[in-house]
Amino acid sequence: MSDALDLAALDAAVENVHRAGMPGLFAEVRDGDEVWRGAAGVADVVTGAPVTADMRHRVGSITKTFTAAAVLQQVESGRIGLDTPIGDYLPELVPGERGATITVRMLLNHTSGLAEYLPYAYPSCKAFPAIAETRPDSLDDLRFTRFDPTDLIARGVTAPAVGAPGRTPGVYSNTNYLLLVQLLEKVTGTTAEQYITRNVIEHAGLQDTGFPDAPHVDGPHSRMYESWFGMIDPPRDYSVYDMSWVGPSASLISTVADLNRFYGKLLAGEIVSRSSLAQIRRTVRVVSQEGRTIDYGLGLHPMDGPGQNAFWGHGGTVWGAGALAMTRADGRRQMAVAVNLQRWNKLDSSGTPQPHPIDDALATLYRLAMHG
């Protein structure tokens, strides 16, 4: 494994992702004290304004690592028990036998068996994961809808279960993390946004990371283009969007530099204790939203290698925006990448997403960033 950054190769790799069809992307790669930042393409397809590496971006489910860290802090304080049933804290949200069986740990690692609420909140997407039977109409219809988180949770809790509590492989579900947000608020007496901001974001020294308080993204940012598997053509800008559809479980806005700083500090034991970090890195098998079975810990997952060579982090997507942040277990090598187009793969006659040149170009960038 080479530790030196190949700056010219990284420049070419981000440019190749743009040439493959990504409107714009930006990234930061770190190796110790050596830092590369790069960007390619446009932030606005109408004006042609370029993306820059310091732009703020919606990072989606990367937020889950921040939420998990906040929960583990409360475990350390004794206010939350990892293996305590969620029904002990929130019986009104998860009543009965499931509330007595599903533990906080199961919510964190997606083995609760609770269904994903999103297809029930977005009517035109109700057939998901049968993508060909979905339509993107709801994305526009609900752009400025203010969702009640307890209503979203109820949709997931009352939907047919996707597995028995604790059984593996688990199934990735945003319902789990909306429940963790409610748990945080119950035990801290403040909003999850306020607690995570004070005890995770500010504690990590992040200057450009925060939760939105309006549909707009403050500061320099890109437009965010959604294709919905080719059904929105040309892709539509969803950078202005009410993010209550995911709430504090996936609505964070950040920069690639802040993401690398956060994961570096987390894996160094500077945000939660070393014993909590060991819990976070205990993985189980989970089926991702893309249908792949992956290893998943408590709010983050490993990628590409065992032991100290493994990279730990998370990916995230919202309507039009995506990001991936990974840090090597020893903390030395880091990568954070943000893209401004989502669900670019069109469907074949069987309704299966087709390969796209963007996929290969991104995979090449990730390999180079982590090992090149």
Side-chain angles (χ1 to χ4, degrees), residues 9 11-22 25 40 357-358 361 364:
D11 286 338
V14 293
E15 185 62 38
N16 286 339
V17 179
H18 170 53
R19 289 176 178 171
M22 180 62 63
L25 72 155
I358 289 175
T364 298

Side-chain angles (χ1 to χ4, degrees), residues 320-362:
L324 177 66
M326 286 283 160
T327 292
R328 202 166 67 196
D330 64 8
R332 180 173 177 85
R333 192 69 171 244
Q334 297 188 274
M335 169 196 78
V337 179
V339 298
N340 66 1
L341 173 68
Q342 282 301 294
R343 284 157 282 274
W344 52 79
N345 303 86
K346 295 185 178 181
L347 305 180
D348 63 18
S349 58
S350 67
T352 302
Q354 297 176 294
H356 192 286
I358 289 175
D359 303 322
D360 289 338
L362 276 174

Side-chain angles (χ1 to χ4, degrees), residues 292-321:
R292 295 182 295 109
T293 302
I294 62 172
D295 292 320
Y296 197 93
L298 306 185
L300 80 172
H301 64 86
M303 176 178 172
D304 207 41
Q308 288 300 304
N309 292 332
F311 282 76
W312 291 84
H314 213 290
T317 68
V318 294
W319 311 138

Side-chain angles (χ1 to χ4, degrees), residues 197-250:
T197 298
R198 183 173 63 249
N199 294 282
V200 180
I201 295 171
E202 292 178 358
H203 181 69
L206 310 185
Q207 300 297 312
D208 294 300
T209 299
F211 292 99
D213 57 9
H216 296 78
V217 177
D218 292 333
H221 64 279
S222 172
R223 304 284 186 179
M224 301 169 194
Y225 298 101
E226 179 62 48
S227 175
W228 196 258
F229 307 100
M231 297 181 205
I232 306 176
D233 188 17
R236 193 169 300 136
D237 171 26
Y238 287 136
S239 56
V240 178
Y241 212 98
D242 188 305
M243 295 303 293
S244 61
W245 64 281
V246 284
S249 66

Side-chain angles (χ1 to χ4, degrees), residues 43 54 69 74 115 118 127 132 173 176 343-344 372:
D54 60 348
Q74 290 299 299
L118 280 174
S173 171
N176 294 320
R343 284 157 282 274
W344 52 79

Side-chain angles (χ1 to χ4, degrees), residues 257-271:
D258 268 8
L259 292 178
N260 278 337
R261 181 178 179 86
F262 166 68
Y263 280 104
K265 286 187 171 291
L266 177 69
L267 293 175
E270 297 181 27
I271 297 174

